[in-house]
């Protein structure tokens, strides 16, 4: 009797496996498209559009799920979930190009998503951020008296400099400096005070090290401009360019990278019973899409955009968990992803421990996020994350 050995293979390894089998080498690039399965959610289709897309999917050997009332036009709009191999999706796009009701544009957009690769590399000072190569670490330096974890620890510029030095030695790729706490229920700090806190330490870090990229965590364009002129390189705006109407134009004028984050309101009100009228992933995705379009319209270069789903910013525990679990879906926007869960309440809800005892849990969540596509991890403890992510990258970047 013949012994059969059956093993499930992950789609990411299909190319390696068919090569090992002895498949025709010249046909691998074409053949692999039949093994890579994709799921895409398409929103806001009319009944006619949804019906046609479903029928085209079926004709290609794939399938699509739509609202049960679509066939009788019982709803005005329907979302659609299409599941197909890459080869089938290419066939679907070709067929949709010949369809009415705006489906030609849908075909172009779907083809664009199919061809998405890693975002282009970004060079900041002497450092090239190659998103294919590794997971990058952003070390947090709070120059505030009231941050939830380390408020008041680094108010002295010399103490702050020593902490920055340690983070650099421990493997930080970026130092993120903030002069305004954005913890839940915190109040706005005016730009003058914000600059009083941050500019001296930017100058000190630059005098010590002229190569480490520095990001400025601010929602004020005046602060951002002065910080960049003083030696910072990146703007990290928790409001996603919404708080200060001049921020988008200022960022474009400065020509620097910007982290665009989702937040449900400003810090003083964002945690007052945060609710969403739709799935939180849909809501955050649509908001980040709108914010990135605003950035592009203002003249910000696409390669300078980084997105952040804003864990803890206007989200209940369940929202945060859902966003972390599905972080990979945000790759479809086409920008590098930053995530910040370090010592946040999403960990406390599970472990019920104070901020300084949440590091192991933060490593677990950040490692999961990195394995699913997060490119930059914003952390308090650089050293432990550097070790964890260096090993993780050996696994997830090995191919």
């Amino acid at each position: 009797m013949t012994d059969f050995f059956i093993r499930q293979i992950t789609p990411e390894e299909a190319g390696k496996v068919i090569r090992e089998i002895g498949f025709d080498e010249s046909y691998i690039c074409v053949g692999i498209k039949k093994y890579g399965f994709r799921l895409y959610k398409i929103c806001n289709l009319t009944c006619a559009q949804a019906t046609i897309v479903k029928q085209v999917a079926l004709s290609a050997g794939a399938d699509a799920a739509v609202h049960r009332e679509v066939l009788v036009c019982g709803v005005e709009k329907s979302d659609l979930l299409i599941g197909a191999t890459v080869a089938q999706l290419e066939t679907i796009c070709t067929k949709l190009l010949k369809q009415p009701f705006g489906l030609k544009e849908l075909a172009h957009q779907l083809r664009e998503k199919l061809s998405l690769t890693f975002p282009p590399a970004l060079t900041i000072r002497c450092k090239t951020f190659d998103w294919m190569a590794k997971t990058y670490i952003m070390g947090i330096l709070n120059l505030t008296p009231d941050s939830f974890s380390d408020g008041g620890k680094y108010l002295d510029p010399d103490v702050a400099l020593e902490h920055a030095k340690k983070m650099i030695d421990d493997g930080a790729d970026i130092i993120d400096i903030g002069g305004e706490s954005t913890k839940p229920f915190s109040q706005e700090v005016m730009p003058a005070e914000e600059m009083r806190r941050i500019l001296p330490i930017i100058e000190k870090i630059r005098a010590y090290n002229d190569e480490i990229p520095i990001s400025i965590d601010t929602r004020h364009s005046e602060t951002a401009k002065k910080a960049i002129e003083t030696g910072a390189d990146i703007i990290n705006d928790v409001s996603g360019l919404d708080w200060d109407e001049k921020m988008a134009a200022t960022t474009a004028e400065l020509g620097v990278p910007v982290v665009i984050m989702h937040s449900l309101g400003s810090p003083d009100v964002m945690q007052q019973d945060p609710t969403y009228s739709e799935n939180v992933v849909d809501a955050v995705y649509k908001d980040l899409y709108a914010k990135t379009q605003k950035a592009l319209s203002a003249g910000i270069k696409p390669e300078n955009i980084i997105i952040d789903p804003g864990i803890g910013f206007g989200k209940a525990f369940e929202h945060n968990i859902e966003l972390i679990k599905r972080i990979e879906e945000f790759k479809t926007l086409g920008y590098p992803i930053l995530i910040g869960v370090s010592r946040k309440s999403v960990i406390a809800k599970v472990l019920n421990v104070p901020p300084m005892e949440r590091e192991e849990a933060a490593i677990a969540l950040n490692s999961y996020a990195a394995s699913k596509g997060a490119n930059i991890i914003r952390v308090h403890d650089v050293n432990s994350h550097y070790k964890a992510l260096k090993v993780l990258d050996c696994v997830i970047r090995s191919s």
Side-chain angles (χ1 to χ4, degrees):
M1 186 178 75
T2 303
D3 290 326
F4 295 104
F5 298 95
I6 300 174
R7 183 174 87 251
Q8 182 175 347
I9 300 296
T10 59
E12 293 78 14
E13 300 302 320
K16 183 186 296 183
V17 172
I18 61 176
R19 181 173 281 110
E20 291 169 349
I21 286 171
F23 191 75
D24 186 344
E25 189 75 26
S26 64
Y27 193 66
I28 286 179
C29 288
V30 176
I32 195 65
K33 294 179 180 180
K34 299 178 182 179
Y35 294 90
F37 190 82
R38 305 277 182 89
L39 283 171
Y40 290 106
K41 182 177 182 179
I42 304 171
C43 299
N44 300 323
L45 297 176
T46 65
C47 288
Q49 290 170 329
T51 299
I52 292 172
V53 173
K54 182 174 178 64
Q55 292 304 316
V56 168
L58 290 170
S59 73
D63 204 350
V66 298
H67 192 285
R68 61 182 177 273
E69 298 289 327
V70 159
L71 285 177
V72 294
C73 296
V75 289
E76 183 177 347
K77 296 275 188 175
S78 174
D79 294 341
L80 177 146
L81 180 67
I82 189 167
T85 66
V86 174
Q88 290 168 337
L89 285 164
E90 288 180 345
T91 299
I92 290 166
C93 287
T94 299
K95 291 185 175 184
L96 288 178
L97 287 171
K98 303 173 183 177
Q99 296 295 330
F101 307 121
L103 291 175
K104 182 177 180 179
E105 175 60 27
L106 175 61
H108 287 309
Q109 290 189 31
L110 187 54
R111 271 189 171 162
E112 187 178 287
K113 300 305 180 187
L114 275 176
S115 61
L116 266 183
T117 56
F118 281 90
L122 176 64
T123 299
I124 305 174
R125 291 190 176 263
C126 303
K127 190 175 188 67
T128 296
F129 289 79
D130 180 354
W131 310 114
M132 293 180 64
K134 61 169 284 187
T135 307
Y136 293 90
I137 297 174
M138 175 184 278
I140 300 168
L141 181 55
N142 286 321
L143 309 180
T144 57
D146 55 343
S147 289
F148 78 93
S149 173
D150 52 6
K153 287 185 68 175
Y154 306 114
L155 297 181
D156 184 319
D158 291 328
V159 175
L161 176 62
E162 289 307 309
H163 186 57
K165 288 180 179 180
K166 183 177 188 307
M167 289 195 290
I168 294 168
D169 291 343
D170 285 346
D173 298 291
I174 304 168
I175 303 298
D176 187 50
I177 299 175
E180 177 189 46
S181 174
T182 50
K183 68 181 181 181
F185 308 110
S186 59
Q187 299 299 309
E188 181 181 10
V189 174
M190 293 295 106
E193 174 60 17
E194 198 177 20
M195 288 187 281
R196 186 193 69 78
R197 295 175 181 179
I198 65 170
L199 297 184
I201 187 58
I202 293 176
E203 291 175 346
K204 283 181 174 289
I205 293 174
R206 276 290 158 254
Y208 167 73
N209 184 313
D210 194 43
E211 297 183 357
I212 185 74
I214 296 174
S215 70
I216 173 64
D217 184 355
T218 184
R219 48 187 172 149
H220 301 114
S221 62
E222 183 182 353
T223 302
K225 188 173 191 300
K226 192 64 178 177
I228 297 298
E229 291 171 350
T230 305
D233 308 281
I234 305 166
I235 297 169
N236 183 8
D237 184 354
V238 298
S239 80
L241 307 178
D242 282 351
W243 181 261
D244 185 331
E245 63 181 14
K246 296 180 181 179
M247 183 64 95
T250 298
T251 303
E253 177 188 339
L254 293 169
V256 297
V258 59
V259 179
I260 297 176
M261 197 191 80
H262 172 273
S263 178
L264 192 67
S266 55
D268 57 329
V269 298
M270 66 188 182
Q271 288 304 112
Q272 294 177 1
D273 188 29
T275 55
Y276 294 85
S277 60
E278 58 186 329
N279 177 284
V280 68
V281 179
D282 283 351
V284 174
Y285 189 96
K286 291 174 184 177
D287 182 78
L288 285 175
Y289 174 78
K291 283 176 164 56
T292 55
Q293 289 300 303
K294 173 182 177 180
L296 294 171
S297 297
I300 297 173
K301 297 177 181 178
E303 62 267 28
N304 278 343
I305 295 174
I306 298 164
I307 57 171
D308 179 352
I311 302 300
F313 282 77
K315 284 96 177 173
F317 172 76
E318 295 77 12
H319 298 142
N320 290 320
I321 293 297
E322 187 76 359
L323 288 167
I324 295 168
K325 182 179 178 180
R326 298 171 63 180
I327 191 74
E328 189 171 13
E329 295 179 27
F330 290 91
K331 291 166 64 175
T332 319
L333 284 169
Y335 303 103
I337 300 168
L338 182 150
I339 191 167
V341 302
S342 186
R343 301 182 183 175
K344 287 185 176 178
S345 62
V346 63
I347 297 171
K349 292 286 186 182
V350 179
L351 297 180
N352 193 27
V353 293
M356 296 302 291
E357 296 179 24
R358 300 173 189 170
E359 282 304 329
E360 297 90 344
I363 292 171
L365 290 178
N366 283 325
S367 295
Y368 174 86
S371 73
K372 295 297 182 181
N375 304 103
I376 305 173
I377 308 297
R378 186 176 182 271
V379 303
H380 292 87
D381 186 344
V382 171
N383 185 252
S384 61
H385 278 86
Y386 174 82
K387 294 172 183 174
L389 293 173
K390 191 171 182 64
V391 174
L392 178 70
D393 280 337
C394 286
V395 178
I396 64 175
R397 314 283 185 186
S398 61
S399 59

